[in-house]
Amino acid sequence: MSLFRAEGLVKRFGGLLATDHVDLAVERGEIHALIGPNGAGKSTLVNLISGLLAADAGRVVLDGVDLTALAPHQRSRHGLARCFQITSVFRNDSVRDNLMLAVQAQSGSSFRCLARRDAEHALQQRAEALAQRVGLTEMLDRNAGTLPHGVQKRLDVALALASRPRLLLLDEPMAGMGPEDSAQMVALIRSLASETAILLIEHDMDAVFELADRISVLVYGKVLTSGDAAHVRGHPEVQSVYLGTEAPAPLTRRREAVR
Ligand code: ADP
Ligand code: MG
């Protein structure tokens, strides 16, 4: 049984069918990339999966549990986490406080049975472990708002990891990054695959082909095809469709050219 299944998901915005009966499975341990041209419906699909948007039809199932009727925070308790946009970071708080808040928000009652000081200590330890996980140990006492963009993105990932997800949704984690930060993010995402499955939306094709075990191509709200990198590269419709109205270009071209 797949870890995660979206079944027949539909989302309409007025007359626009943004998500057109999408079926998608993510296996345990898998990094599954979702690619497609701008406006294909990638973010809408992630929003349907995380519960930020309600689907007009279809189901979202994680580990056999139907999450369709649940709110985002309830889905997160079942092991579904999404990487929020930068705005979810409390910019005036330290990295440590951001992480402690995230851990506390996700911990339910598990710290409540401890005495106050022990609870605080346990929260701090978990926050520090998360910082270490994403390479932010040196920056625990920095104000989150003062961190460079690439580092904030890694904090964002750490905040999502606070809920110990089984499926992590990443919507363009490399957006706006230079090559160095991108390379660090690629390494981080790869290292996460041992603890959580990942659904990765990313425009950086170098990163997608480097990371993904499987790639699904979304076009006009529909899954055009799904398969490994070789399958997607060789698919007759993918190259022209993925690049929309631009002249077809090989999907292997360098990331600078893709931007
Ligand atoms: P992608 O992430 O692949 O670029 P989106 O999911 O953001 O695509 O958008 C898919 C389509 O749905 C686009 O045509 C977009 O304009 C439309 N859309 C997205 N969100 C909304 C919304 N809240 N209201 C109306 N239309 C929307
Ligand atoms: Mg998008």
Side-chain angles (χ1 to χ4, degrees):
M1 192 179 70
S2 299
L3 172 71
F4 171 80
R5 277 178 297 127
E7 297 173 355
L9 279 182
V10 173
K11 184 67 188 176
R12 291 191 178 83
F13 295 117
L16 176 78
L17 192 52
T19 309
D20 187 359
H21 301 87
V22 166
D23 295 324
L24 190 81
V26 181
E27 310 302 326
R28 285 176 180 76
E30 183 179 55
I31 300 182
H32 191 135
L34 188 64
I35 66 171
N38 276 334
K42 303 179 296 296
S43 293
T44 302
L45 184 56
V46 164
N47 290 337
L48 293 174
I49 293 172
S50 69
L52 215 60
L53 284 173
D56 294 316
R59 297 202 314 153
V60 170
V61 180
L62 184 68
D63 232 352
V65 179
D66 189 335
L67 304 180
T68 317
L70 301 185
H73 70 278
Q74 294 169 314
R75 294 186 194 199
S76 136
R77 297 231 169 90
H78 283 280
L80 192 72
R82 75 170 292 166
C83 227
F84 294 100
Q85 298 302 316
I86 284 304
T87 46
S88 77
V89 171
F90 292 109
R91 301 179 60 85
N92 294 323
D93 287 332
S94 68
V95 168
R96 186 193 310 277
D97 287 349
N98 268 279
L99 288 167
M100 283 174 68
L101 275 170
V103 173
Q104 192 168 37
Q106 294 299 337
S107 64
S109 59
S110 53
F111 290 105
R112 260 177 237 146
C113 56
L114 299 174
R116 208 190 146 131
R117 273 185 57 190
D118 292 342
E120 175 102 1
H121 184 63
L123 277 174
Q124 283 221 24
Q125 279 194 327
R126 179 97 176 91
E128 283 166 19
L130 283 166
Q132 189 173 27
R133 190 75 191 74
V134 302
L136 286 179
T137 300
E138 306 296 307
M139 306 192 189
L140 272 163
D141 296 313
R142 287 264 301 263
N143 256 19
T146 67
L147 299 174
H149 174 71
V151 182
Q152 285 203 14
K153 284 284 197 181
R154 295 215 304 277
L155 173 57
D156 210 28
V157 171
L159 295 175
L161 292 177
S163 64
R164 302 185 195 272
R166 283 180 290 166
L167 176 62
L168 177 62
L169 309 172
L170 297 172
D171 193 353
E172 300 196 31
M174 263 74 94
M177 281 188 185
E180 210 169 294
D181 283 334
S182 287
Q184 279 194 347
M185 185 57 86
V186 166
L188 173 58
I189 292 171
R190 188 185 293 111
S191 78
L192 297 179
S194 60
E195 54 195 87
T196 176
I198 293 171
L199 183 62
L200 168 71
I201 296 182
E202 186 49 57
H203 281 299
D204 183 331
M205 286 302 118
D206 288 348
V208 165
F209 285 125
E210 211 174 313
L211 285 169
D213 300 300
R214 207 145 52 105
I215 301 168
S216 291
V217 185
L218 202 66
V219 180
Y220 295 123
K222 269 192 169 126
V223 177
L224 173 69
T225 190
S226 213
D228 64 13
H231 167 83
V232 167
R233 276 203 184 97
H235 192 282
E237 284 176 71
V238 169
Q239 293 195 355
S240 55
V241 167
Y242 177 68
L243 294 166
T245 53
E246 287 179 40
L251 280 176
T252 48
R253 64 187 185 167
R254 302 301 304 166
R255 54 173 65 114
E256 289 76 23
V258 174
R259 285 261 161 78

